Amino acid sequence: MPRQIRLNAFMMNCVGHLAPGQWTGPADNSIGYLDTDYWVDLAKVLERGLFDGLFLGDVTGIYDVFGASPAAAVRTAAQVPMNDPVPLIPLMAHATKSLGFGVTVSVAYEAPYLLARRFTTLDHLTKGRVAWNIVTSYLQSGARSLGETQLRAHDERYDRADEFLEVCYKLWEGSWADGAVKRDAARGIYADPEQVRPIVHKGRYFQSEGIFQCEPSPQRTPLLFQAGGSTRGTQFAAKHAECIFVGAPTRNGLRKSVQAIRAALEEAERAPDSALLFAMCTVIVDETAQRAQARYEAYRQRASYEGALALLSGWTGIDLSRYKPEDTLHYVDTDAGQSALASFSKLDPDREWTVRDAVEFVTIGGRGAVIVGDAAQVADELQSLVEETGIDGFNLAWVESPRTFHDVVDYLVPELQRRGAYKTSYEEGTLREKLLGQGAHLEAPHVGARLRFDSGAAQ
Ligand SMILES: Cc1cc2nc3c(=O)[nH]c(=O)nc-3n(C[C@H](O)[C@H](O)[C@H](O)COP(=O)(O)O)c2cc1C
């Protein structure tokens, strides 16, 4: 039996996510991000293709590192303009039954209580189909827009995020007992006050005291995703995440990243396979290999080098306007994201990247691999990546929206199913049950499960 491949669609509430310049193409409809129909139709297509989830990225701030100016990003629509992803979820949930919805929300700029309440609301409205991608934010522009003089230091962002999560777990897991909600109309008792208790958190970064105002949702804690790839980011992911995104441009780099994450999980006293790993990847698949290749060539022509410069400068915190295209990229620690630069420098010692190589690579699919071919060729490549690197699935970016996902659903999914490498129906239950094959709630030894109402843990 071949290993099962899981698929997520990687979207953002904007025109140009990881393929700057493609919005100029005649068949692209990414401008539809402003319409409800665009999102509802997309969710239905993904559910037809039995995708595990539609995953919404988000950033706070704009990409103004390149040339110390937002001009390149604004001109090319490189993740700007961008809307809030959260309001899209109830719309799409209403139109689907089984598709999961991952959403990125940063812990940098709001109180844990408000974020916890929003996710509980989403988990109720989706009937347990929501996941949270925990990010700590890497753009100085976002920090300034939110009234801070500068971004917190890289590793401290994760220390603070650890405490943020602790408060969330207390709220989600510890304030209401499982049987607290009675809905006993005859006695006029909605919930038993004896089974609802205040949390008390007095920490270095956060204070919170009182009862959580939401009743427990199907999953309580949303399914937790994370994508930090630095040493501290991987450690954070290994402590909290149930699914982890990996962005590595080469097979060797992917293999090394997977090994590092599995080792970090063990160090965090979790089973090395207790989190599902999704590799970022872009698939260009068509009826024939020639047609797929021709489309790839057209995409390359249309790709915006300037937009990719803006993105890569923002991810790495390095102003690439100061470099010549033929300069080699070397790793340096910065206070932006550290793994983006590592992907194009130290991650794969067999591969040296010039600025031009890396920027051209990023124009289609960010720092994930691009796979082009007919369904059989793409399926071969995905299966071999899964077998060889030990990842569990792919977080698929798009080039032309919504076409990329239509092609995956119409060509690739049936091929994977024929090979027995892809499900033919959804599992029952919440997103956590579907993906991890466990109960709806966090389970020991996960750190959040220790803070359950009935765990005896002091709140
Ligand atoms: C597949 C993938 C998706 C990501 N999505 C987001 C996102 O939506 N928003 C965000 O702020 N960061 C996102 N990131 C970045 C990470 O969360 C993290 O900030 C970044 O990798 C830097 O952290 P590090 O220095 O620990 O690697 C993503 C990374 C990957 C690999």
Side-chain angles (χ1 to χ4, degrees), residues 80-369:
V80 58
M82 184 194 299
N83 288 342
D84 186 338
V86 170
L88 304 174
I89 292 176
L91 281 177
M92 297 189 286
H94 186 65
T96 52
K97 272 184 64 183
S98 303
L99 183 69
F101 299 100
V103 63
T104 302
V105 181
S106 175
V107 297
Y109 306 113
E110 68 176 314
Y113 189 91
L114 295 175
L115 182 144
R117 188 175 69 153
R118 191 168 332 115
F119 270 100
T120 298
T121 308
L122 289 172
D123 201 45
H124 278 299
L125 294 179
T126 60
K127 304 224 177 327
R129 288 189 279 150
V130 79
W132 174 25
N133 179 30
I134 309 157
V135 299
T136 54
S137 291
Y138 50 78
L139 291 171
Q140 294 287 358
S141 64
R144 285 195 302 272
S145 289
L146 272 292
E148 296 185 7
T149 48
Q150 62 173 2
L151 208 55
R152 288 182 190 88
H154 179 272
D155 286 8
E156 196 201 349
R157 295 203 291 274
Y158 285 111
D159 296 343
R160 189 175 167 280
D162 268 330
E163 195 187 319
F164 193 110
L165 267 285
E166 192 184 330
V167 184
C168 289
Y169 294 139
K170 287 180 178 176
L171 294 166
W172 283 323
E173 302 290 334
S175 186
W176 293 60
D178 275 343
V181 176
K182 304 294 181 198
R183 298 196 193 106
D184 184 339
R187 293 198 296 150
I189 297 176
Y190 190 86
D192 174 6
E194 294 294 313
Q195 292 182 275
V196 183
R197 69 180 178 195
I199 73 145
V200 179
H201 183 88
K202 293 188 173 132
R204 176 167 172 214
Y205 300 101
F206 303 104
Q207 324 294 323
S208 182
E209 265 186 67
I211 283 166
F212 191 36
Q213 75 190 108
C214 307
E215 62 182 275
S217 63
Q219 300 183 110
R220 285 184 173 259
T221 297
L223 184 70
L224 298 175
F225 275 72
Q226 223 281 319
S230 60
T231 306
R232 183 64 182 94
T234 304
Q235 194 189 33
F236 178 84
K239 178 171 175 188
H240 301 282
E242 301 171 279
C243 299
I244 299 174
F245 289 137
V246 191
T250 66
R251 184 178 282 247
N252 203 15
L254 185 60
R255 192 185 309 105
K256 276 184 64 181
S257 301
V258 170
Q259 282 165 359
I261 294 168
R262 302 273 189 223
L265 283 163
E266 280 195 280
E267 217 158 282
E269 294 176 9
R270 296 172 63 194
D273 60 354
S274 59
L276 296 178
L277 310 193
F278 290 86
M280 197 166 162
C281 172
T282 302
V283 158
I284 299 166
V285 60
D286 209 324
E287 219 173 326
T288 63
Q290 291 77 3
R291 285 173 69 156
Q293 197 58 40
R295 277 202 298 114
Y296 175 65
E297 300 304 334
Y299 293 152
R300 288 239 73 97
Q301 294 297 317
R302 213 177 285 145
S304 169
Y305 190 87
E306 186 188 24
L309 276 167
L311 290 177
L312 192 56
S313 297
W315 294 334
T316 58
I318 291 177
D319 178 0
L320 293 172
S321 73
R322 298 182 178 181
Y323 293 80
K324 292 197 278 303
E326 59 278 15
D327 286 347
T328 301
L329 275 175
H330 295 290
Y331 184 78
V332 284
D333 273 345
T334 71
D335 264 333
Q338 296 184 347
S339 51
L341 183 57
S343 320
F344 296 108
S345 53
K346 66 179 180 180
L347 182 63
D348 181 353
D350 297 342
R351 175 80 204 255
E352 196 175 275
W353 298 81
T354 62
V355 170
R356 184 191 291 109
D357 293 339
V359 175
E360 282 181 353
F361 188 91
V362 161
T363 55
I364 297 182
R367 54 188 164 117

